[in-house]
Amino acid sequence: MTEATRHTPGTPCWVSLMVHGIDATQEFYGALFGWEFAPGPQQLGPYVRAMIDGREVAGIGRLPADRDLPVAWTPYLATDDADATAEAVRSCGGTVGVGPLDAGDAGRMVIGSDPSGAVLGIWQAAGHRGTAVHGAHGTPVWNELVTREASAVAKFYQAVLGIETRPAGAPGEDLLTLLVGGRPVGSVRGAGRELSRERGPHWMTWFEVRDTDAAARAVEELGGRVVRPPGPGPAGREAVVADPEGAVFTVVRREGNAIPV
């Protein structure tokens, strides 16, 4: 395990989930990942931080009762200036739905979407620097943007946050690795016509688990579902699953420190 440090702009630093039933969701992820919970900033309504050994891992909040929004894990990308980044999002063809606003003394945040419509968060750290545990069961290890065409939307992230890219995957595969300071931090996958009409462009979060098969069974036992059964992937054995409210994520037992591209 390693502690969180200040993140270079463009680096995914946090993941958060907005749901209808926050108590039931805590029970699901607490049983699946061993998370405990502590109160977080309440600027957007009830919100808790998931903890492992007293260190912050992820956030879960409650959706407004009068808004029918998709339930999905959302990555937050680090910035040194949330206001300037929000303006860059707008000027580069994205939209800003929430913020910039202060989340107590934790930091300053923005929630928006890229030009393809994929929702993302922007985080300017103050007291809260982001995920403080890495490499343990139940910790986020990767984020991938699934969109129609990789290179077009990758230009947005480069312009807004200085994120660089390099080709990945098999020849002819529309897959890019996202780089910050030369270090892989995420990926963009162009799905073309295979992109789900129901979900549209979206970010997918990977969580490390001790045993992929056991985690997939636990998801079903806890009221979720398996979207893609466990099998080999670029980083190790992985499965795509969904929680009881439909939030889709990947569980992976990595081989060493391999990344999922």
Side-chain angles (χ1 to χ4, degrees):
M1 298 184 189
T2 57
E3 295 281 356
T5 57
R6 190 166 188 85
H7 294 85
T8 304
T11 306
C13 60
W14 186 244
V15 290
S16 190
L17 175 66
M18 301 298 287
V19 298
H20 300 285
I22 191 169
D23 293 336
T25 299
Q26 288 180 73
E27 292 178 6
F28 173 85
Y29 286 100
L32 180 64
F33 291 147
W35 289 350
E36 298 178 340
F37 297 91
Q42 306 293 302
Q43 276 72 12
L44 297 179
Y47 189 87
V48 296
R49 289 178 180 157
M51 318 283 285
I52 293 178
D53 295 333
R55 291 177 287 178
E56 298 160 332
V57 176
I60 299 175
R62 180 181 294 159
L63 285 166
D66 59 345
R67 299 188 68 182
D68 185 20
L69 298 173
V71 176
W73 281 100
T74 299
Y76 281 70
L77 308 181
T79 182
D80 288 335
D81 188 332
D83 295 76
T85 302
E87 187 56 39
V89 167
R90 295 188 187 96
S91 64
C92 292
T95 60
V96 172
V98 176
L101 58 82
D102 289 326
D105 59 0
R108 192 159 173 81
M109 64 174 287
V110 175
I111 300 175
S113 59
D114 65 27
S116 76
V119 176
L120 70 144
I122 301 294
W123 183 252
Q124 178 185 338
H128 171 64
R129 293 189 176 183
T131 299
V133 189
H134 302 277
H137 176 80
T139 58
V141 295
W142 194 251
N143 290 281
E144 181 173 85
L145 172 59
V146 183
T147 189
R148 291 183 180 85
E149 196 272 318
S151 62
V153 73
K155 294 176 182 177
F156 166 83
Y157 290 91
Q158 183 174 16
V160 172
L161 289 161
I163 300 173
E164 299 178 344
T165 65
R166 72 180 179 206
E173 188 176 4
D174 191 12
L175 179 63
L176 299 172
T177 300
L178 300 176
L179 307 166
V180 172
R183 182 174 67 89
V185 298
S187 51
V188 182
R189 182 178 300 275
R193 294 183 178 180
E194 296 181 3
L195 182 69
S196 167
R197 290 187 178 182
E198 180 182 354
R199 298 189 66 196
H202 62 276
W203 282 92
M204 169 78 81
T205 297
W206 269 254
F207 290 93
E208 182 87 40
V209 291
R210 288 185 290 268
D211 185 322
T212 302
D213 296 75
R217 289 193 298 272
V219 165
E220 291 188 313
E221 292 167 358
L222 294 166
R225 62 187 176 91
V226 174
V227 178
R228 190 175 71 223
R237 191 162 178 81
E238 62 183 47
V240 179
V241 298
D243 69 20
E245 288 206 20
V248 178
F249 57 100
T250 297
V251 291
V252 60
R253 170 61 176 176
R254 290 186 299 162
E255 298 174 355
N257 293 317
I259 59 176
V261 292

